[in-house]
Amino acid sequence: MAEILTNSKQEKKEDYALEKVPPHYRMNWWSITNVTLGVATAMIFMQMGSLMALSFGSVNALLAEIYATVMAGALGIGIAYYAAKSGLNTNLMARGGGFGYIGASITSFIYAINFIMYCAIEGAIMASAVHEYLQVVPVWALMVFFGLIVIPFNWFGMKQLDKLQKWSLPIFIILLSAGIIAAANMAPVFKGSIWSFLPQGAQAGGSALLTCIGIMNGLVGIMALLVSDYARFIKKEEFKIGVFAVGFIPQLVCFFIMGLIGIWFGVRMGEANPGVYFVHVIGVGGALFTILTQLRINITNLYSASLSLSNFFEHVFNFKPGRTFWVAFTAIAAIAAMLAGALDHLGPMLTFQGVFLFAWAAILVADAAVVKRTLKIGPQYFEHRSEYLYPWNPVGVVSLLVSSIVGSLAAFGYMGVFLQNIAAFFAAIIGFVLTIVLAIATKGKYYAKDSANDISYDELVA
Ligand SMILES: Nc1nc2[nH]cnc2c(=O)[nH]1
């Protein structure tokens, strides 16, 4: 009995960071969707809506939010489908999905850096929001506090995340509704219809819309990819509803619902920062709202970082200290980044990450839906065990290198304004096409050394 308890505790701590999620450990679709809503309710998505509306007009912001919902929704459903089938997230899927086990470790590393950066950004936002109210507490102390507080919330993986996000969701809804009601009862800064707001010199459509789409693309890749960390827990019996809910609902909430609320607040209040307008409309409730939304997303940032770092260190350094070690490591790295002021220099890094993540998502979808499923090249399942794999597969690695380099050049403005605005999307198209071309050219030779005979019918993707 004691051993079963220990094992199940161990199981929760590890959360299958390096393995397929087995059937007995899968969860109901609503619990999984609920965890992903922790990401989707973050203030960043409102902020993007407000910012785009104030800078480029509400119609452009609305069209860009619709574009992002459709694009991230399509990629999210695709990735959720393969994650639920295989029980793997994108770190593990990439191994047999065109990258090889060392190639996939490199993508895990870049992915992990992205989440460490986000942990630092969201932690710093919380620290400065609280510092506004409690000026006696120095910002550095608040950064350490908010950096450390997310560690215990992550100790027992998905089962614990589900509980936390479930109790915090009603509080989020109450505070959000209070903010909307209070703002609706205040005299607006902009008196016309929200949808008629267009700043001077801007036009609906054209380059203003393209710039908004460019801003959204920076978020689309990460939102589609992170779905896999959760969708791999979908039960086989709830496959269809689970894939739709986990793949699409977070995208609908973050881009469409939170985006539209952001446009409404931004134009009405003449302010782009929700941390500012929420405090303005509901005072201390606004500060609580900021902390709650930031905590909800930062818990998921830490979770995804811990999975990616487990993956990277497993193969590159053969170092497997357990997922919880990486939870603590990420939190400490994020605190160090906040204290060192690294956040002021993240602009170019975020631009590169936007390109890289969108391209990676497109390559994985091309590999699963076209290479494996349609062309029937390589094994018809995702193999994640190194004994069956080559360390490198040029299909994904070359596609990602080329698309990220070309996409980054475009994003930094070396290829003209048009490609700069659609750089991440441009990189995704290059990655998608190259994956198919290279899989055909290499005849799928580097996908697997050996084929496994323990793969169930359910896990086949073709
Ligand atoms: N997953 C995730 N995506 C983001 N996009 C912008 N900020 C974040 C964040 O903190 N987490």
Side-chain angles (χ1 to χ4, degrees), residues 40 68-69 72-73 244 247-259:
T69 309
F244 176 77
F248 188 66
I249 292 178
Q251 322 296 353
L252 183 74
V253 172
C254 74
F255 293 118
F256 196 71
I257 299 179
M258 294 298 277

Side-chain angles (χ1 to χ4, degrees), residues 39 42 44-45 114-115 118-119 121-122 218-219 222-223 226 297-298 300-301:
V39 188
I44 176 80
F45 299 106
N114 188 64
F115 282 110
Y118 281 147
C119 268
I121 296 174
E122 309 303 356
L219 299 172
I222 186 85
M223 283 308 296
L226 64 78
I297 192 170
N298 236 11
T300 66
N301 286 336

Side-chain angles (χ1 to χ4, degrees), residues 356-441:
F356 164 84
L357 294 169
F358 208 145
W360 189 27
I363 290 168
L364 289 172
V365 170
D367 179 77
V370 183
V371 176
K372 288 187 172 40
R373 195 181 179 109
T374 312
L375 301 175
K376 312 253 182 274
I377 292 176
Q380 304 300 291
Y381 52 88
F382 283 98
E383 181 55 76
H384 70 290
R385 296 162 295 185
S386 51
E387 57 273 30
Y388 291 99
L389 293 166
Y390 288 102
W392 299 93
N393 181 349
V395 173
V397 175
V398 174
S399 304
L400 192 62
L401 262 179
V402 173
S403 55
S404 299
I405 292 172
V406 177
S408 298
L409 288 175
F412 289 112
Y414 293 104
M415 296 182 174
V417 179
F418 177 71
L419 286 182
Q420 183 169 19
N421 286 330
I422 58 150
F425 186 61
F426 178 49
I429 295 175
I430 297 175
F432 192 93
V433 174
L434 265 183
T435 301
I436 299 166
V437 171
L438 288 171
I440 296 172

Side-chain angles (χ1 to χ4, degrees), residues 303-385:
Y303 180 65
S304 290
S306 70
L307 296 179
S308 321
L309 286 170
S310 303
N311 268 275
F312 173 67
F313 282 92
E314 181 192 19
H315 283 312
V316 176
F317 295 103
N318 199 15
F319 180 49
K320 290 182 266 186
R323 191 189 65 84
T324 44
F325 175 89
W326 296 116
V327 168
F329 176 93
T330 305
I332 291 165
I335 293 171
M338 284 189 259
L339 295 178
L343 305 187
D344 301 335
H345 311 285
L346 287 185
M349 187 69 183
L350 284 170
T351 306
F352 165 76
Q353 290 277 5
V355 168
F356 164 84
L357 294 169
F358 208 145
W360 189 27
I363 290 168
L364 289 172
V365 170
D367 179 77
V370 183
V371 176
K372 288 187 172 40
R373 195 181 179 109
T374 312
L375 301 175
K376 312 253 182 274
I377 292 176
Q380 304 300 291
Y381 52 88
F382 283 98
E383 181 55 76
H384 70 290
R385 296 162 295 185

Side-chain angles (χ1 to χ4, degrees), residues 205-230:
S207 64
L209 175 58
L210 269 184
T211 309
C212 289
I213 288 179
I215 293 172
M216 285 290 100
N217 278 338
L219 299 172
V220 165
I222 186 85
M223 283 308 296
L225 285 164
L226 64 78
V227 154
S228 73
D229 286 341
Y230 308 104

